[in-house]
Amino acid sequence: MKIKRSAWIHIALFATMILYLVIAPLVEVKFFIHQGKPIQLAGALPEPTDLVNHAVDVAKEVVFQGEKIYRVNGWSFLTTATDLADYDTYLVLNSPRRDYVYPAAPSGRRDIPRAFPDVKLDLANSGFVVFIARDALPPGQYRISLLYQHKGTGERVYQKTQRMLVRTPNQLLLMDLEETP
């Protein structure tokens, strides 16, 4: 049985479409998504501690600089710090295969100084905002952790939270660790 030329054209077109479906998301993440990509930090993560007070409040899809990404808001402060401005803060998504690190930008939180009146730190900017591109993160469940790195000494303090992000094919969901989708 001989396959006609038109059948080969259909097979080639079908193979090209399958190849496109596999390669297109990778090309999009590499060349077209600029916001919300994880960064690489030198060195391994330190052992987890209990030195960070924190809460991860919300993960919401937003349009930022023309890109649809997720904005994660929360607050945290290092209990042993003398000045939070001396530290860079990162949100870390832990999975069994890999850790994804995202820089956290400080944001104002008027409620935190009122909630912790005995803390001697300036907590007015203890809030954080992290942008995460859904398509730059493989589907799966990720435990949320926080990493503080001293700007001068490079000292790191790392703490795991009781929250997780679940990446489904269509969205990012913020959940408590006990919940499952």
Side-chain angles (χ1 to χ4, degrees):
M1 183 166 128
K2 203 172 189 181
I3 298 178
K4 293 182 179 181
R5 179 180 161 104
S6 64
W8 283 113
I9 292 173
H10 287 103
I11 291 171
L13 286 173
F14 181 73
T16 303
M17 288 188 314
I18 296 297
L19 186 62
Y20 172 78
L21 289 174
V22 171
I23 293 176
L26 301 173
V27 171
E28 180 187 20
V29 168
K30 179 112 174 128
F31 297 108
F32 299 107
I33 294 178
H34 302 291
Q35 305 298 322
K37 291 169 129 178
I39 62 169
Q40 293 292 326
L41 284 181
L45 294 172
E47 287 298 313
T49 65
D50 289 328
L51 300 175
V52 179
N53 281 352
H54 63 274
V56 181
D57 299 329
V58 67
K60 182 179 179 182
E61 188 174 41
V62 297
V63 175
F64 180 71
Q65 296 181 354
E67 296 181 28
K68 279 177 94 174
I69 57 177
Y70 279 78
R71 182 183 68 214
V72 178
N73 292 77
W75 60 268
S76 70
F77 62 89
L78 183 58
T79 58
T80 58
T82 55
D83 187 359
L84 291 179
D86 292 339
Y87 290 86
D88 289 322
T89 308
Y90 301 93
L91 185 129
V92 181
L93 299 179
N94 308 111
S95 75
R97 300 179 85 196
R98 180 175 168 205
D99 296 322
Y100 297 88
V101 179
Y102 295 87
S107 69
R109 291 288 298 249
R110 287 183 271 157
D111 57 329
I112 304 305
R114 288 191 297 253
F116 297 95
D118 297 336
V119 174
K120 302 298 181 219
L121 290 169
D122 178 13
L123 298 177
N125 288 319
S126 60
F128 63 80
V129 176
V130 177
F131 292 104
I132 299 174
R134 182 194 72 215
D135 293 333
L137 190 64
Q141 296 182 358
Y142 301 90
R143 184 171 186 172
I144 299 173
S145 301
L146 295 166
L147 175 68
Y148 276 81
Q149 182 170 315
H150 193 275
K151 293 176 183 177
T153 65
E155 172 197 12
R156 292 180 174 176
V157 178
Y158 175 68
Q159 182 165 335
K160 295 183 176 190
T161 73
Q162 295 301 308
R163 304 281 281 181
M164 69 178 177
L165 274 177
V166 178
R167 161 66 159 93
T168 68
N170 299 319
Q171 60 187 340
L172 282 178
L173 303 170
L174 180 63
M175 306 177 126
D176 291 330
L177 270 182
E178 303 83 41
E179 297 178 33
T180 54

